[in-house]
Amino acid sequence: MTLSKPQLQSFLTRGVQKHRLANGLTVITKEQHDKPIVASIIWYRVGSRNEELGQTGKSHFLEHMLFKGTDRFGKGQIDLLTLQNGGANNAFTWLDFTAYYFTFASDRWAIALEIEANRMRNTTFAQEEFASEKQVVEEELRIGLDGPWEVLENEVWATAFRQHPYHWPTVGWLDDLEAATAADMKAYYDKWYHPHNATLVLVGDFNTDEIMPRVEELFGTIPAGTEVKPLHIAEPAQKGEKRVLVKKETPVERLLIGFHAPAVGDDDAYVMHILDTLLSTGKTSRFYKRLVEHDQSVASISASFHDHIDPSLFYIQAELKPGFKLEDVERAIYEELERLKNEPLDDAELVKAKRQIEADLVLSNEQPLQQAILLGQYETIAFSERIPESSRGFNYLDSMIEKTAAVTLADVARVAKKYFTRDNRTVGYLINEDAGGATND
């Protein structure tokens, strides 16, 4: 076992220790003794990004199967043990990762380590459990498609990305799920669920020196697994605007605009977070004041940018009020984006956006589980060689705070001009299926 204590700088990483077992498992610990709670979360660097055409949805399906039984913990036992010990558990899958978490009182959390160590390599994939869970996952997908946003989001992302795996949704395509077999799932599990592809994060009321021997005992004997060749798929630059029209029974028309955006670690990514905040955080944001208060054309509007391993999308979503036209709302959004490009930003507005980002990092990450999620997420996605070595992994959080604070007025205008262009966008309309079908083009 190696043990390192990096140079810590911010409130997010203060007190964090990083360890690496001989089999490659990364272990991150952060002691926090103000409340008697421990959060544990294990991250696997595998998500829908790693799936192949014709076999989409496997990462999410596998997440479900890891609750269906191992050679030690039978069907239902993981949830039963969690309940008996007064804890909580769950899991989530996204483009770049899959993660499983527990929270327990600090006098009984060690069972979480035993479960995670066991199910890393000993999930059973019983045929009867696979068949029943397949129905659950398929139903989850259908329920999502019944909602108004998921169907539009799927179409916009699939249109924006023609080559990169961000093309398909995390839950996969229904035809692929229906064709999936237990053997497929086991092979996927064998490929990705190993110590060298995982990070265990522990935050809460424990003593690191006391718990590391137990971590070593439980995880240290698991074979490292075969190294998987890194994925290098680059989406070609978009050469012109793309548009998609989705018809669905709905009383509310919706608009989603996606602009190709940089990957985590790119200098422009920090500015993207500023733009996200300027446009849609709070009632003094630009979109709220223009479209909700002034035009009164939308019931809600948001801008979103999330860090991902590869370049993804900066996207804007709006729900229209009755009587307003999608074309007019779309035009108003572009007018606000043009203002960011061409009208000098007030320095006080930029300072406020930076403070909002910092406040969100503090207020959204007070609990041990929230901190474990944040540390694990960046340890999993911020590993590219384009990121300075001292800023990789969870240390990226320190760089993020520092570089966000250094964003200038000129940076905001430059990045807005670079990414918020007609050729770089994909526009999706969701309209009532009985409403006809013409877009403004």
Side-chain angles (χ1 to χ4, degrees):
M1 181 194 305
T2 58
L3 174 66
S4 64
K5 293 185 178 181
Q7 297 297 314
L8 306 179
Q9 299 171 352
S10 77
F11 58 92
L12 294 172
T13 63
R14 192 171 300 127
V16 173
Q17 296 184 39
K18 182 174 179 177
H19 317 256
R20 186 72 57 91
L21 304 193
N23 59 11
L25 178 70
T26 299
V27 183
I28 292 174
T29 63
K30 182 177 183 181
E31 297 180 26
Q32 187 171 317
H33 300 288
D34 59 333
K35 50 182 76 71
I37 296 172
V38 174
S40 72
I41 180 166
I42 191 162
W43 294 75
Y44 293 94
R45 189 178 289 151
V46 57
S48 55
R49 172 181 180 270
N50 304 97
E51 296 162 358
E52 299 172 354
L53 187 63
Q55 299 205 340
T56 64
K58 285 200 291 191
S59 303
H60 174 249
F61 196 157
L62 188 53
E63 172 207 313
H64 279 246
M65 289 304 299
L66 259 70
F67 288 89
K68 307 311 291 184
T70 73
D71 62 355
R72 177 182 170 189
F73 302 101
K75 176 185 177 182
Q77 275 195 288
I78 292 175
D79 288 335
L80 180 61
L81 284 167
T82 304
L83 186 64
Q84 288 175 335
N85 285 282
N89 72 53
N90 212 328
F92 52 88
T93 306
W94 206 12
L95 305 179
D96 302 327
F97 49 70
T98 308
Y100 305 80
Y101 67 80
F102 291 92
T103 55
F104 283 111
S106 55
D107 62 347
R108 63 195 68 181
W109 71 276
I111 187 64
L113 292 180
E114 296 181 32
I115 292 171
E116 295 300 9
N118 181 252
R119 68 179 172 180
M120 179 180 283
R121 294 299 322 136
N122 297 300
T123 297
T124 51
F125 295 92
Q127 182 59 44
E128 62 275 17
E129 294 302 326
F130 174 81
S132 64
E133 201 60 25
K134 187 175 180 179
Q135 294 178 354
V136 172
V137 174
E138 290 176 0
E139 187 60 20
E140 183 179 332
L141 187 152
R142 291 189 181 94
I143 291 172
L145 293 179
D146 278 342
W149 277 118
E150 189 160 325
V151 64
L152 183 59
E153 290 169 359
N154 288 353
E155 292 297 332
V156 167
W157 281 75
T159 303
F161 291 95
R162 64 178 176 81
Q163 188 165 316
H164 191 280
Y166 289 165
H167 171 86
W168 44 76
T170 300
V171 293
W173 303 122
L174 183 57
D175 288 348
D176 293 348
L177 284 176
E178 290 175 341
T181 68
D184 292 336
M185 209 55 58
K186 178 65 164 58
Y188 196 70
Y189 172 72
D190 289 343
K191 181 176 182 179
W192 294 106
Y193 278 56
H194 297 284
H196 70 76
N197 197 45
T199 296
L200 174 67
V201 185
L202 305 172
V203 177
D205 184 26
F206 57 81
N207 182 293
T208 298
D209 291 338
E210 292 177 359
I211 60 102
M212 281 309 298
R214 183 58 173 159
V215 171
E216 178 77 45
E217 179 184 2
L218 290 169
F219 290 89
T221 57
I222 302 173
T226 305
E227 290 283 349
V228 178
K229 187 177 179 181
L231 180 68
H232 294 294
I233 299 179
E235 178 70 21
Q238 190 166 312
K239 297 298 185 182
E241 182 189 61
K242 299 178 181 179
R243 302 189 71 90
V244 58
L245 176 69
V246 179
K247 296 180 179 179
K248 182 179 178 60
E249 185 176 349
T250 176
V252 179
E253 292 188 327
R254 291 170 172 83
L255 168 66
L256 195 157
I257 306 169
F259 295 92
H260 286 280
V264 64
D266 189 298
D267 283 345
D268 291 346
Y270 308 104
V271 188
M272 281 292 186
H273 287 294
I274 294 279
L275 287 166
D276 170 348
T277 304
L278 287 169
L279 288 169
S280 73
T281 298
K283 293 186 176 180
T284 58
S285 65
R286 293 193 169 208
F287 280 162
Y288 190 90
K289 288 196 291 187
R290 167 66 188 272
L291 289 124
V292 177
E293 287 188 344
H294 182 271
D295 295 355
Q296 299 186 22
S297 58
V298 301
S300 67
I301 184 165
S302 65
S304 302
F305 175 69
H306 303 282
D307 285 319
H308 291 290
I309 291 175
D310 294 322
S312 58
L313 293 182
F314 182 107
Y315 52 97
I316 298 163
Q317 297 171 274
E319 288 186 342
L320 272 66
K321 288 184 175 179
F324 289 90
K325 294 182 179 180
L326 285 160
E327 293 88 343
D328 292 338
V329 171
E330 183 184 353
R331 188 178 305 110
I333 289 171
Y334 296 151
E335 287 173 359
E336 290 304 312
L337 298 182
E338 288 302 312
R339 286 183 59 214
L340 283 172
K341 298 177 189 177
N342 301 315
E343 298 178 12
L345 187 68
D346 184 79
D347 189 56
E349 193 176 3
L350 178 60
V351 170
K352 186 183 73 173
K354 293 177 181 179
R355 287 176 177 167
Q356 286 175 314
I357 291 172
E358 186 170 348
D360 183 64
L361 283 170
V362 174
L363 298 174
S364 300
N365 296 285
E366 291 183 317
Q367 299 300 318
L369 178 60
Q370 295 166 330
Q371 294 181 51
I373 289 174
L374 190 66
L375 292 167
Q377 178 183 347
Y378 280 94
E379 184 66 27
T380 302
I381 68 171
F383 62 91
S384 168
E385 292 182 356
R386 65 175 168 268
I387 302 172
E389 189 169 355
S390 60
S391 297
R392 293 177 193 164
F394 74 88
N395 292 302
Y396 184 84
L397 292 163
D398 293 333
S399 299
M400 183 166 66
I401 293 171
E402 182 181 328
K403 292 200 173 188
T404 299
V407 169
T408 66
L409 298 174
D411 289 332
V412 173
R414 176 186 59 78
V415 171
K417 289 177 182 176
K418 180 178 179 180
Y419 293 94
F420 296 155
T421 68
R422 183 184 183 111
D423 286 351
N424 192 42
R425 73 191 181 212
T426 300
V427 183
Y429 281 10
L430 180 77
I431 65 171
N432 193 309
E433 59 188 0
D434 297 326
T439 70
N440 63 345
D441 277 357

